[in-house]
Amino acid sequence: MSTFTKAVAHMRSSKTVMISGGTLLAIAIVALIGPWISPNDYMTTDFDRLFQSPTFSSMNLFGTDDLGRDLFVRTMLGVQVTLVVAVVASVVSLVIGVLYGATAGYIGGRVDTVMMRFVDTLYATPFIFFVILLLVVFEQNFLLIFVAIGAINWLDMARIVRGQTLSLREREFVDAARLIGVSTPRIILRHIAPNLIGVVIVYVTLTIPQAILIESFLSFLGLGIQEPQTSLGNLVSGGALQIEGASWMLLIPAALLAIILLSFNFLGDGMRDVFDARQSR
């Protein structure tokens, strides 16, 4: 049985992983299919249906907003955008963080010191200042959100990978590769990086909620997704303004955001338990 097959078998045996993963999969499927089967779209306004409350007997399952737009479609599109931003930003942080941290940890010495001092410098830069600087330089656009979130999340990944690499570089298989003349880039990519998969997978599942919160925070402040496009943070921001007269505008996207965050957190905890159990064996 291959290592991948064993890992899948362990994940299937974990109720936490299966329930949280199933919840996220169900939300993603509904968010993908919902806007296609709905007779409404996310932009069309209907001033005869302003602030319509949610009802199962209506075309507007989640009700309507202050412009008469269908909240079900807008919420599903918001889930799509939120998940895409979170996943893409996490992939960006994964690629940069693993390569950067593995390089610093394997080479060591002055190179490691300089590279990690650069990370410390970026840590000291306020995130909002960094985002505003990007907005001024590149103007506000959808791609900027990926860049901003990914450019911050990779710092933690680099530190964790560096710590793991410091111990891996002393292992026998790395010494053997070094003795037969394998180049440093090849050792990092073929021998170091594959042995970091367990730690990286666990950490990615735990950083996705962080990316979601950052995107929601930026959208809430008006620095993220802009109208008429939508995200969960954007919907929560708009719903907060109507909390007294149309509470569903806040409660529905906020509840979905909370479920997604909790599911990713539980998934990360379950994945950590799975890989800890494999390592102990």
Side-chain angles (χ1 to χ4, degrees):
M1 183 180 294
S2 66
T3 302
F4 177 77
T5 305
K6 291 180 180 178
V8 171
H10 282 293
M11 284 186 280
R12 286 180 176 177
S13 65
S14 172
K15 292 183 179 180
T16 302
V17 172
M18 296 305 296
I19 293 175
S20 56
T23 300
L24 289 170
L25 180 61
I27 292 175
I29 291 174
V30 173
L32 184 63
I33 297 177
W36 288 95
I37 64 176
S38 174
N40 305 311
D41 61 53
Y42 74 101
M43 292 181 59
T44 302
T45 58
D46 187 349
F47 294 103
D48 293 329
R49 292 176 176 267
L50 300 180
F51 297 114
Q52 185 180 62
S53 60
T55 173
F56 289 105
S57 60
S58 170
M59 292 173 56
N60 307 110
L61 185 63
F62 288 176
T64 60
D65 62 9
D66 54 331
L67 295 178
R69 296 174 297 189
D70 182 63
L71 273 179
F72 173 76
V73 174
R74 290 183 62 78
T75 302
M76 293 303 101
L77 288 176
V79 171
Q80 290 182 24
V81 171
T82 297
L83 291 178
V84 168
V85 169
V87 172
V88 172
S90 296
V91 170
V92 171
S93 68
L94 168 67
V95 173
I96 298 176
V98 169
L99 293 178
Y100 193 93
T103 301
Y106 179 75
I107 296 177
R110 292 183 179 179
V111 173
D112 178 36
T113 301
V114 171
M115 293 179 70
M116 297 316 295
R117 293 300 76 78
F118 176 70
V119 170
D120 293 337
T121 301
L122 291 181
Y123 258 115
T125 305
F127 175 70
I128 294 300
F129 173 78
F130 181 74
V131 172
I132 293 175
L133 180 63
L134 288 177
L135 289 173
V136 171
V137 175
F138 298 104
E139 298 184 355
Q140 195 163 355
N141 58 71
F142 191 75
L143 180 61
L144 180 63
I145 299 175
F146 298 132
V147 175
I149 299 176
I152 294 299
N153 275 359
W154 74 269
L155 301 176
D156 292 327
M157 179 70 73
R159 281 186 165 182
I160 290 176
V161 169
R162 171 186 174 270
Q164 294 292 318
T165 304
L166 287 174
S167 62
L168 285 173
R169 71 177 184 178
E170 306 299 332
R171 301 284 293 273
E172 292 81 2
F173 62 89
V174 175
D175 289 336
R178 195 183 296 118
L179 286 173
I180 63 176
V182 179
S183 64
T184 296
R186 189 175 180 84
I187 290 176
I188 293 174
L189 294 175
R190 296 293 300 273
H191 299 281
I192 299 294
N195 286 280
L196 297 170
I197 291 178
V199 174
V200 168
I201 289 177
V202 172
Y203 191 73
V204 165
T205 58
L206 294 175
T207 55
I208 287 179
Q210 180 183 359
I212 292 175
L213 284 175
I214 292 174
E215 183 277 324
S216 300
F217 178 65
L218 292 177
S219 296
F220 188 86
L221 294 179
L223 298 174
I225 305 299
Q226 298 297 307
E227 293 282 357
Q229 293 179 330
T230 185
S231 71
L232 291 182
N234 190 291
L235 291 171
V236 169
S237 177
L241 300 176
Q242 308 293 340
I243 184 61
E244 294 185 1
S247 58
W248 62 87
M249 288 182 59
L250 172 63
L251 296 178
I252 292 175
L256 269 174
L257 181 60
I259 292 172
I260 291 172
L261 291 173
L262 286 173
S263 296
F264 272 117
N265 277 316
F266 284 131
L267 180 62
D269 289 340
M271 295 287 286
R272 181 184 59 198
D273 293 340
V274 167
F275 282 99
D276 285 346
R278 290 185 60 215
Q279 290 176 357
S280 64
R281 294 181 183 181

